[in-house]
Amino acid sequence: MILTETIKKNVYEAAMENFDLAANALELHPDVREMIKYPERILEVNLPVRMDDGHIHRFEGYRVQHSTARGPAKGGIRYHPNVTLDEVKALATWMTWKCAVVNIPFGGGKGGVTCSPKDMSQGELERMTRRYTASILPIIGPERDIPAPDVYTNSQIMAWIMDTYSMTKGYPIPGVVTGKPISLGGSLGRNEATGRGVFYTIQGACDHLELPLKEARVIVQGFGNAGSIAAQLLHSAGATVIAVNDSRGCVYNGTGLDVAKLIVHKEKTGNVLGFPAAEEIRPNELLALKCDILVPAALENAIDEENAVAVKAKIVAEAANGPVTPEGDKVLESKGIFVIPDILCNAGGVTVSYFEWVQDEQHLFWEAQDVYNRLERVMKTSFAEVLKIHLEHKVSVRTAANMLGIGRVAEATRLRGLYP
Ligand code: NAD
């Protein structure tokens, strides 16, 4: 069974449930909850696109701005067959708390188009992207809402968005999206930022739990941008990556996979299957393998109350957004597993997106090492702040992260005078 079969649960309800837990712990006034809990703006668009065979196909797309209390909305665009409005609302909500956790001056947004990018030609993808950009154009912009890549979108797609937006203004506006190619105003270090941020938070968790990273056995579910980079950095730090999967299947080697070679293999063949020196296992066996660190880096709801029972990791590092359901969370918590929640764990991506936007706005670009150093500082500071709340308030690490993020948004809203 792979994730696409279990994605039916409503992730927006999970996002609301997590909000309530943190809001209760913060003892937030009901008026404040009414003001900050729900998306500020939702845009639903129909995208008629000429396909290569000549017919017009209509795609449905969304852009949700959950909050602009702390700055312009910020969040990725997802191309996937399972994209729904509720999923985009959940992802936009998490972006608000995430930007606040790492204390960058952005609110939360997210976009998505329900489509099967793997079955589309480059021409079809480009025409759909340009149509989508034109449709959401009235609400995006460097001061309003800044999209970025998410699942199955990449720097090329960001380049088309930037170009379409700039065409309407008559001059180049790189700050409208992040995750762009370097030659169009992208930032060095953006491509690996999410995985790198995941790595820094895992380092923090290992220090806290006194678990030597060099002795750790790691499983990565979802070997895409976030998962493969996190795997590579963990491997370089001496950890042993024993199993990974992608949408096509799983590979396992109990003595360790050669991550760099696996990345090359995936680039060449499009998936992890067929990698030499590894055996194929079933996706549901992956989560049950004995390991120290499990990195869910694919999609939402990957770990629920049923399969959480089998998880043997000491640390679950949520590289993906919303990979653990609230019920799954309770099971992991009862087993004493240290969960690094998504809004902290994968915040490296949006942090370097912020750096990219700053560089674009200033027309002054930084060296890769500057980006890494600043990212490390942000991730380690945020990890320490969340850990402090977790220990002081005796709440789960997820609730602690939500308390930090939601508390900052509530404070900004109060200071803006949006509620008495
Ligand atoms: P990606 O498209 O690069 O990779 C996704 C990977 O997941 C692919 O390898 C794909 O094969 C795999 N996958 C898809 N369906 C699967 C399934 N059913 N079972 C196992 N694997 C499956 O996407 P990404 O950018 O790495 O994003 C992954 C997750 O990380 C998403 O939840 C995304 O929202 C989150 N995230 C990404 C970034 C970023 O900067 N890329 C930032 C923050 C959060």
Side-chain angles (χ1 to χ4, degrees):
M1 183 171 63
I2 60 172
L3 282 177
T4 42
E5 291 169 30
T6 60
I7 201 143
K8 292 174 201 110
K9 277 193 190 140
N10 192 321
V11 282
Y12 186 56
E13 282 168 17
M16 296 291 97
E17 206 172 315
N18 285 331
F19 173 88
D20 289 336
L21 281 176
N24 291 343
L26 285 167
E27 299 179 3
L28 272 193
H29 191 281
D31 289 355
V32 183
R33 297 182 195 216
E34 282 299 300
M35 298 199 67
I36 69 171
K37 184 173 174 180
Y38 305 98
E40 279 175 20
R41 184 179 280 137
I42 295 174
L43 180 60
E44 191 169 343
V45 293
N46 275 307
L47 312 171
V49 176
R50 177 85 59 198
M51 306 305 276
D52 289 348
D53 67 3
H55 88 283
I56 295 278
H57 186 89
R58 184 181 63 86
F59 295 93
E60 287 175 2
Y62 311 94
R63 185 73 193 169
V64 173
Q65 294 169 352
H66 175 263
S67 170
T68 54
R70 302 179 77 252
K74 183 86 191 82
I77 290 171
R78 178 173 293 194
Y79 286 174
H80 194 277
N82 294 338
V83 164
T84 62
L85 177 56
D86 268 352
E87 181 187 52
V88 180
K89 280 161 67 181
L91 291 163
T93 307
W94 287 324
M95 284 307 296
T96 301
W97 318 138
K98 187 185 301 183
C99 291
V101 164
V102 284
N103 214 359
I104 57 177
F106 285 141
K110 204 81 182 189
V113 179
T114 315
C115 63
S116 298
K118 284 187 179 171
D119 302 328
M120 294 167 71
S121 69
Q122 281 293 97
E124 289 169 341
L125 270 178
E126 178 174 354
R127 289 192 291 280
M128 186 186 78
T129 299
R130 290 190 183 277
R131 188 78 200 196
Y132 173 66
T133 309
S135 300
I136 63 167
L137 200 128
I139 65 165
I140 62 170
E143 295 88 21
R144 292 178 182 180
D145 181 359
I146 306 130
D150 189 73
V151 175
Y152 297 149
T153 53
N154 54 26
S155 59
Q156 175 60 73
I157 288 169
M158 297 308 112
W160 291 328
I161 295 176
M162 180 245 174
D163 184 61
T164 309
Y165 186 83
S166 302
M167 280 163 65
T168 67
K169 307 286 171 182
Y171 56 95
I173 306 176
V176 66
V177 278
T178 57
K180 296 178 294 296
I182 303 296
S183 53
L184 281 179
S187 175
L188 293 172
R190 173 62 185 88
N191 188 47
E192 58 268 39
T194 303
R196 192 169 273 277
V198 170
F199 172 70
Y200 292 141
T201 61
I202 290 175
Q203 275 186 326
C206 285
D207 288 350
H208 169 63
L209 300 175
E210 296 176 7
L211 173 79
L213 194 48
K214 281 191 178 355
E215 290 166 23
R217 287 160 69 82
V218 179
I219 295 171
V220 178
Q221 181 202 48
F223 202 64
N225 172 285
S228 66
I229 305 279
Q232 194 171 28
L233 290 167
L234 288 164
H235 177 80
S236 307
T240 309
V241 179
I242 57 166
V244 309
N245 77 342
D246 61 16
S247 59
R248 302 277 159 89
C250 298
V251 288
Y252 167 77
N253 182 333
T255 58
L257 296 161
D258 186 328
V259 179
K261 286 195 181 144
L262 185 54
I263 290 175
V264 174
H265 174 83
K266 168 126 180 151
E267 273 166 11
K268 266 198 210 143
T269 65
N271 63 81
V272 296
L273 292 179
F275 183 62
E279 63 179 278
E280 210 176 299
I281 57 168
R282 292 211 317 277
N284 55 0
E285 290 176 66
L286 178 102
L287 291 178
L289 290 170
K290 195 167 180 306
C291 70
D292 301 291
I293 302 167
L294 168 63
V295 185
L299 294 171
E300 301 88 72
N301 295 340
I303 301 173
D304 58 20
E305 71 269 42
E306 282 168 31
N307 59 18
V309 178
V311 171
K312 298 181 182 65
K314 298 186 183 80
I315 296 171
V316 170
E318 293 186 335
N321 284 308
V324 180
T325 65
E327 297 75 26
D329 224 10
K330 284 177 198 137
V331 176
L332 298 182
E333 207 180 337
S334 71
K335 295 171 78 167
I337 296 173
F338 189 92
V339 177
I340 313 174
D342 47 8
I343 61 168
L344 169 66
C345 189
N346 69 35
V350 74
T351 301
V352 177
S353 271
Y354 164 57
F355 297 161
E356 178 175 332
W357 178 80
V358 167
Q359 293 170 76
D360 287 337
E361 294 291 288
Q362 296 183 342
H363 310 282
L364 182 65
F365 289 87
W366 309 346
E367 293 183 5
Q369 199 54 50
D370 281 350
V371 173
Y372 299 152
N373 293 346
R374 285 175 193 261
L375 174 64
E376 184 170 3
R377 238 179 2 251
V378 169
M379 296 307 297
K380 294 209 160 152
T381 304
S382 308
F383 183 88
E385 286 175 325
V386 170
L387 190 64
K388 189 162 177 269
I389 298 173
H390 161 66
L391 297 172
E392 279 180 12
H393 291 257
K394 299 191 175 26
V395 291
S396 70
V397 190
R398 185 183 314 283
T399 299
N402 277 317
M403 284 170 73
L404 182 62
I406 291 168
R408 283 184 173 147
V409 176
E411 171 76 350
T413 308
R414 186 182 67 76
L415 290 169
R416 286 180 61 168
L418 291 177
Y419 63 84

Tab-separated table of all heavy atoms in Angstrom, residues 2-4 78 98 118 150-152 190 194 222-227 245-247 266 297-299 319-321 346 349, ligand 1:
chain	number	residue	atom	x	y	z
A	2	ILE	N	0.626	2.162	-0.890
A	2	ILE	CA	1.419	3.382	-0.858
A	2	ILE	C	0.540	4.564	-0.471
A	2	ILE	O	-0.676	4.460	-0.403
A	2	ILE	CB	2.184	3.641	-2.178
A	2	ILE	CG1	1.239	3.771	-3.345
A	2	ILE	CG2	3.232	2.598	-2.415
A	2	ILE	CD1	1.948	4.222	-4.611
A	3	LEU	N	1.217	5.666	-0.214
A	3	LEU	CA	0.538	6.796	0.390
A	3	LEU	C	-0.692	7.272	-0.343
A	3	LEU	O	-1.653	7.696	0.257
A	3	LEU	CB	1.511	7.970	0.438
A	3	LEU	CG	2.524	7.910	1.528
A	3	LEU	CD1	3.442	9.076	1.406
A	3	LEU	CD2	1.821	7.921	2.858
A	4	THR	N	-0.665	7.203	-1.660
A	4	THR	CA	-1.778	7.755	-2.423
A	4	THR	C	-3.089	7.088	-2.030
A	4	THR	O	-4.147	7.656	-2.193
A	4	THR	CB	-1.523	7.571	-3.926
A	4	THR	OG1	-0.986	6.278	-4.115
A	4	THR	CG2	-0.601	8.612	-4.470
A	78	ARG	N	1.987	23.067	-5.341
A	78	ARG	CA	2.071	21.616	-5.502
A	78	ARG	C	1.327	21.194	-6.770
A	78	ARG	O	0.212	21.655	-7.017
A	78	ARG	CB	1.441	20.951	-4.274
A	78	ARG	CG	1.413	19.462	-4.329
A	78	ARG	CD	0.943	18.879	-3.009
A	78	ARG	NE	1.901	19.116	-1.941
A	78	ARG	CZ	1.877	18.495	-0.760
A	78	ARG	NH1	0.934	17.620	-0.505
A	78	ARG	NH2	2.784	18.753	0.156
A	98	LYS	N	4.805	27.980	10.558
A	98	LYS	CA	6.215	27.653	10.260
A	98	LYS	C	7.061	28.929	10.135
A	98	LYS	O	8.139	29.032	10.723
A	98	LYS	CB	6.266	26.861	8.952
A	98	LYS	CG	7.639	26.325	8.615
A	98	LYS	CD	7.653	25.640	7.247
A	98	LYS	CE	6.670	24.499	7.188
A	98	LYS	NZ	6.727	23.798	5.893
A	118	LYS	N	3.661	13.867	-14.009
A	118	LYS	CA	4.515	12.832	-14.615
A	118	LYS	C	3.984	12.387	-15.967
A	118	LYS	O	4.726	11.834	-16.772
A	118	LYS	CB	4.605	11.625	-13.682
A	118	LYS	CG	5.518	11.848	-12.487
A	118	LYS	CD	5.684	10.572	-11.701
A	118	LYS	CE	6.605	10.790	-10.519
A	118	LYS	NZ	6.640	9.650	-9.618
A	150	ASP	N	7.027	23.044	-4.434
A	150	ASP	CA	6.610	22.015	-3.474
A	150	ASP	C	6.614	20.706	-4.275
A	150	ASP	O	7.335	20.604	-5.277
A	150	ASP	CB	5.225	22.360	-2.885
A	150	ASP	CG	4.847	21.458	-1.722
A	150	ASP	OD1	5.425	21.608	-0.636
A	150	ASP	OD2	3.984	20.574	-1.895
A	151	VAL	N	5.809	19.749	-3.868
A	151	VAL	CA	5.858	18.433	-4.511
A	151	VAL	C	5.596	18.550	-6.023
A	151	VAL	O	4.611	19.162	-6.444
A	151	VAL	CB	4.825	17.487	-3.854
A	151	VAL	CG1	4.761	16.156	-4.581
A	151	VAL	CG2	5.180	17.287	-2.385
A	152	TYR	N	6.503	17.984	-6.788
A	152	TYR	CA	6.440	17.931	-8.259
A	152	TYR	C	6.418	19.300	-8.939
A	152	TYR	O	5.938	19.445	-10.065
A	152	TYR	CB	5.267	17.054	-8.748
A	152	TYR	CG	5.395	15.603	-8.319
A	152	TYR	CD1	4.271	14.817	-8.075
A	152	TYR	CD2	6.638	15.008	-8.134
A	152	TYR	CE1	4.383	13.493	-7.661
A	152	TYR	CE2	6.760	13.687	-7.720
A	152	TYR	CZ	5.635	12.941	-7.485
A	152	TYR	OH	5.746	11.637	-7.083
A	190	ARG	N	19.497	27.114	-1.975
A	190	ARG	CA	18.035	26.941	-1.829
A	190	ARG	C	17.617	25.508	-2.128
A	190	ARG	O	16.789	24.937	-1.439
A	190	ARG	CB	17.273	27.914	-2.752
A	190	ARG	CG	15.755	27.674	-2.793
A	190	ARG	CD	15.113	27.864	-1.433
A	190	ARG	NE	13.682	27.531	-1.377
A	190	ARG	CZ	13.186	26.334	-1.129
A	190	ARG	NH1	13.977	25.295	-0.920
A	190	ARG	NH2	11.884	26.144	-1.063
A	194	THR	N	15.901	22.598	2.427
A	194	THR	CA	14.951	21.859	3.270
A	194	THR	C	15.649	20.666	3.912
A	194	THR	O	15.583	20.468	5.131
A	194	THR	CB	13.722	21.421	2.449
A	194	THR	OG1	13.146	22.594	1.873
A	194	THR	CG2	12.693	20.725	3.315
A	222	GLY	N	10.294	8.650	0.926
A	222	GLY	CA	10.146	9.747	-0.041
A	222	GLY	C	11.519	10.289	-0.382
A	222	GLY	O	12.084	11.104	0.352
A	223	PHE	N	12.053	9.811	-1.505
A	223	PHE	CA	13.430	10.160	-1.847
A	223	PHE	C	13.431	11.261	-2.911
A	223	PHE	O	13.993	11.123	-3.986
A	223	PHE	CB	14.152	8.906	-2.353
A	223	PHE	CG	15.647	8.962	-2.256
A	223	PHE	CD1	16.288	9.047	-1.036
A	223	PHE	CD2	16.432	8.913	-3.403
A	223	PHE	CE1	17.663	9.094	-0.949
A	223	PHE	CE2	17.822	8.953	-3.336
A	223	PHE	CZ	18.436	9.046	-2.103
A	224	GLY	N	12.787	12.388	-2.589
A	224	GLY	CA	12.764	13.531	-3.508
A	224	GLY	C	13.743	14.583	-3.025
A	224	GLY	O	14.777	14.270	-2.428
A	225	ASN	N	13.393	15.836	-3.249
A	225	ASN	CA	14.299	16.922	-2.876
A	225	ASN	C	14.618	16.889	-1.376
A	225	ASN	O	15.779	16.744	-0.974
A	225	ASN	CB	13.664	18.267	-3.281
A	225	ASN	CG	14.442	19.448	-2.771
A	225	ASN	OD1	14.399	19.773	-1.593
A	225	ASN	ND2	15.204	20.091	-3.633
A	226	ALA	N	13.587	16.973	-0.547
A	226	ALA	CA	13.815	17.042	0.904
A	226	ALA	C	14.465	15.758	1.420
A	226	ALA	O	15.468	15.795	2.150
A	226	ALA	CB	12.490	17.304	1.616
A	227	GLY	N	13.910	14.613	1.043
A	227	GLY	CA	14.373	13.333	1.577
A	227	GLY	C	15.776	12.965	1.145
A	227	GLY	O	16.597	12.505	1.962
A	245	ASN	N	12.380	4.948	0.151
A	245	ASN	CA	11.410	4.628	-0.899
A	245	ASN	C	11.001	5.876	-1.655
A	245	ASN	O	11.332	6.996	-1.279
A	245	ASN	CB	10.197	3.875	-0.343
A	245	ASN	CG	9.207	4.765	0.378
A	245	ASN	OD1	9.528	5.875	0.772
A	245	ASN	ND2	8.011	4.258	0.568
A	246	ASP	N	10.327	5.631	-2.778
A	246	ASP	CA	9.687	6.726	-3.506
A	246	ASP	C	8.336	6.199	-3.976
A	246	ASP	O	7.893	5.138	-3.516
A	246	ASP	CB	10.581	7.266	-4.637
A	246	ASP	CG	10.905	6.231	-5.687
A	246	ASP	OD1	10.225	5.187	-5.728
A	246	ASP	OD2	11.837	6.456	-6.476
A	247	SER	N	7.680	6.924	-4.875
A	247	SER	CA	6.318	6.513	-5.238
A	247	SER	C	6.296	5.165	-5.956
A	247	SER	O	5.267	4.518	-6.037
A	247	SER	CB	5.671	7.579	-6.124
A	247	SER	OG	6.445	7.752	-7.282
A	266	LYS	N	18.631	7.458	-9.131
A	266	LYS	CA	17.257	8.003	-9.234
A	266	LYS	C	17.185	9.060	-10.343
A	266	LYS	O	16.190	9.132	-11.077
A	266	LYS	CB	16.833	8.585	-7.878
A	266	LYS	CG	15.575	9.427	-7.942
A	266	LYS	CD	14.482	9.016	-6.997
A	266	LYS	CE	13.289	9.957	-7.171
A	266	LYS	NZ	12.014	9.412	-6.886
A	297	ALA	N	9.374	11.874	4.274
A	297	ALA	CA	9.663	13.022	3.387
A	297	ALA	C	8.852	12.935	2.101
A	297	ALA	O	9.297	13.383	1.047
A	297	ALA	CB	11.165	13.075	3.077
A	298	ALA	N	7.640	12.333	2.199
A	298	ALA	CA	6.822	12.223	0.982
A	298	ALA	C	5.592	13.127	1.105
A	298	ALA	O	5.689	14.332	0.870
A	298	ALA	CB	6.434	10.770	0.744
A	299	LEU	N	4.464	12.544	1.527
A	299	LEU	CA	3.233	13.337	1.554
A	299	LEU	C	2.550	13.232	2.920
A	299	LEU	O	3.083	12.613	3.835
A	299	LEU	CB	2.289	12.847	0.447
A	299	LEU	CG	2.801	13.083	-0.983
A	299	LEU	CD1	1.909	12.369	-1.982
A	299	LEU	CD2	2.890	14.561	-1.317
A	319	ALA	N	10.210	15.680	7.574
A	319	ALA	CA	10.632	16.487	6.426
A	319	ALA	C	9.426	16.877	5.581
A	319	ALA	O	9.361	17.965	5.023
A	319	ALA	CB	11.634	15.703	5.583
A	320	ALA	N	8.448	15.968	5.495
A	320	ALA	CA	7.216	16.274	4.757
A	320	ALA	C	6.308	17.134	5.613
A	320	ALA	O	6.496	17.242	6.825
A	320	ALA	CB	6.501	14.983	4.376
A	321	ASN	N	5.305	17.715	4.975
A	321	ASN	CA	4.288	18.454	5.717
A	321	ASN	C	3.169	17.501	6.102
A	321	ASN	O	2.647	16.774	5.244
A	321	ASN	CB	3.720	19.569	4.833
A	321	ASN	CG	4.687	20.731	4.715
A	321	ASN	OD1	5.158	21.253	5.721
A	321	ASN	ND2	5.013	21.116	3.484
A	346	ASN	N	11.073	21.012	8.660
A	346	ASN	CA	11.312	21.319	7.234
A	346	ASN	C	11.334	22.820	6.951
A	346	ASN	O	11.256	23.239	5.792
A	346	ASN	CB	10.316	20.564	6.341
A	346	ASN	CG	8.889	21.058	6.479
A	346	ASN	OD1	8.640	22.246	6.681
A	346	ASN	ND2	7.931	20.157	6.344
A	349	GLY	N	13.605	25.167	4.182
A	349	GLY	CA	13.240	25.568	2.811
A	349	GLY	C	12.727	26.986	2.771
A	349	GLY	O	13.220	27.824	2.001
B	1	NAD	P1	9.655	16.000	-4.412
B	1	NAD	O1	8.624	16.027	-5.486
B	1	NAD	O2	11.033	16.423	-4.733
B	1	NAD	O3	9.749	14.540	-3.788
B	1	NAD	C1	8.664	13.822	-3.360
B	1	NAD	C2	9.155	12.389	-3.241
B	1	NAD	O4	8.140	11.613	-2.619
B	1	NAD	C3	9.449	11.735	-4.604
B	1	NAD	O5	10.628	10.979	-4.525
B	1	NAD	C4	8.257	10.806	-4.800
B	1	NAD	O6	8.578	9.684	-5.584
B	1	NAD	C5	7.973	10.419	-3.358
B	1	NAD	N1	6.613	9.926	-3.198
B	1	NAD	C6	5.475	10.383	-3.774
B	1	NAD	N2	4.451	9.607	-3.417
B	1	NAD	C7	4.971	8.661	-2.592
B	1	NAD	C8	4.402	7.580	-1.908
B	1	NAD	N3	3.119	7.325	-2.025
B	1	NAD	N4	5.231	6.821	-1.131
B	1	NAD	C9	6.550	7.093	-1.023
B	1	NAD	N5	7.141	8.104	-1.668
B	1	NAD	C10	6.348	8.879	-2.438
B	1	NAD	O7	9.018	16.828	-3.213
B	1	NAD	P2	9.759	17.542	-2.017
B	1	NAD	O8	9.925	18.941	-2.384
B	1	NAD	O9	10.905	16.724	-1.573
B	1	NAD	O10	8.589	17.478	-0.930
B	1	NAD	C11	8.400	16.342	-0.088
B	1	NAD	C12	7.675	16.791	1.156
B	1	NAD	O11	8.449	17.794	1.796
B	1	NAD	C13	6.302	17.407	0.917
B	1	NAD	O12	5.452	17.097	1.989
B	1	NAD	C14	6.603	18.881	0.908
B	1	NAD	O13	5.453	19.656	1.220
B	1	NAD	C15	7.649	18.946	1.973
B	1	NAD	N6	8.480	20.144	1.915
B	1	NAD	C16	9.291	20.402	0.855
B	1	NAD	C17	10.035	21.563	0.841
B	1	NAD	C18	10.975	21.903	-0.277
B	1	NAD	O14	11.621	22.949	-0.202
B	1	NAD	N7	11.133	21.060	-1.268
B	1	NAD	C19	9.961	22.458	1.909
B	1	NAD	C20	9.150	22.156	2.988
B	1	NAD	C21	8.405	20.990	2.966
